[in-house]
Amino acid sequence: MHRILVVDDDPHIRDVLCFALEKAGMAAEWAGNGVDALDLATRNPPSLVVLDVGMPEMDGLEVCRRLRRASDVPILFLSARDEEIDRVLGLEMGGDDYVTKPFSPRELVARVNVILRRARGATVVATPQEDAPPLTPCPIVRGALMLDSAGHRATMAGRELGLTAREFMIVKTLAGRPAVVFSRNQLMDAAYPDNIHVSDRTIDSHVRNIRAKFQAAGCEDAVETVHGVGFRLGPCTTGTAP
């Protein structure tokens, strides 16, 4: 059973969310502030965090920043702010999705399910046969990069990259056809199959984050920009990590 941590200082919103998630077959726990959220997430890591941005003392962005130091747990931001810059900032910080208040509990649960499916990775199962073992997708290898879709793991020369679910889908799309230049619209379709409206700048933000994570692992040529067209996967070689 998936465990969802709901973080919001509004008890009514917490109650609505926990009820909707539990009705959908998930286990829900809550925290009313950022400090308690970090404590809960550290002691008993959840499957996903629904995180309110506008909390007093420690806001959701700061909670996300601290979580991302040691965890790639999926994060769905919840906010009363609907400006594009707020959504972009939340995604740049490492969020996987962004929902604005007021919201539909049913839509939010659907988005949670989409993120969880993507984070879990698709497992291909063989047609039922006697003693037939289950099949899983072969890892994608490009240079020192290895992508394991079944385990949702991305490593560079054996070093974990800590990609978010959206970032993983972008890298997987590029790695699946490394000779192809993908437009921003194509990468948006890959990263946001649930038809969430995002701008070109959002994809640029994801690409910056991806490059930074590869660079931290010693790779300076992960994603190449083809000006006026889009992006393609680079050779994915490693040097000396900074």
Side-chain angles (χ1 to χ4, degrees), residues 17-164:
L17 285 175
C18 289
F19 176 80
L21 291 165
E22 289 171 352
K23 187 176 179 181
M26 305 177 207
E29 58 182 345
W30 61 267
N33 59 68
V35 174
D36 289 348
L38 289 172
D39 181 58
L40 283 171
T42 301
R43 287 191 290 106
N44 194 11
S47 305
L48 179 144
V49 180
V50 178
L51 183 57
D52 181 35
V53 172
M55 295 184 294
E57 298 182 20
M58 184 187 297
D59 65 19
L61 295 178
E62 178 60 24
V63 175
C64 176
R65 183 182 294 110
R66 297 191 186 191
L67 281 174
R68 282 289 174 259
R69 291 175 183 170
S71 171
D72 61 353
V73 60
I75 295 174
L76 187 154
F77 279 117
L78 193 60
S79 176
R81 299 197 290 259
D82 192 26
E83 295 296 325
E84 181 183 66
I85 185 61
D86 295 318
R87 296 196 299 274
V88 170
L89 180 58
L91 295 170
E92 284 185 333
M93 292 289 298
D96 295 274
D97 203 348
Y98 193 103
V99 174
T100 56
K101 302 175 183 179
F103 60 90
S104 160
R106 180 179 297 178
E107 179 188 356
L108 188 139
V109 169
R111 288 175 183 250
V112 166
N113 277 318
V114 168
I115 296 171
L116 290 172
R117 285 197 300 270
R118 189 180 300 116
R120 184 170 63 244
T123 301
V124 178
V125 180
T127 303
Q129 297 178 10
E130 186 176 358
D131 298 326
L135 300 177
T136 56
C138 293
I140 299 174
V141 177
R142 168 75 165 174
L145 169 68
M146 186 182 76
L147 294 175
D148 175 10
S149 296
H152 191 75
R153 294 179 66 243
T155 59
M156 193 71 198
R159 180 173 176 178
E160 288 278 356
L161 292 172
L163 301 179
T164 67

Side-chain angles (χ1 to χ4, degrees), residues 4-27:
I4 312 300
L5 175 58
V6 176
V7 187
D8 199 299
D9 61 327
D10 186 329
H12 173 68
I13 290 178
R14 294 198 304 262
D15 289 346
V16 169
L17 285 175
C18 289
F19 176 80
L21 291 165
E22 289 171 352
K23 187 176 179 181
M26 305 177 207

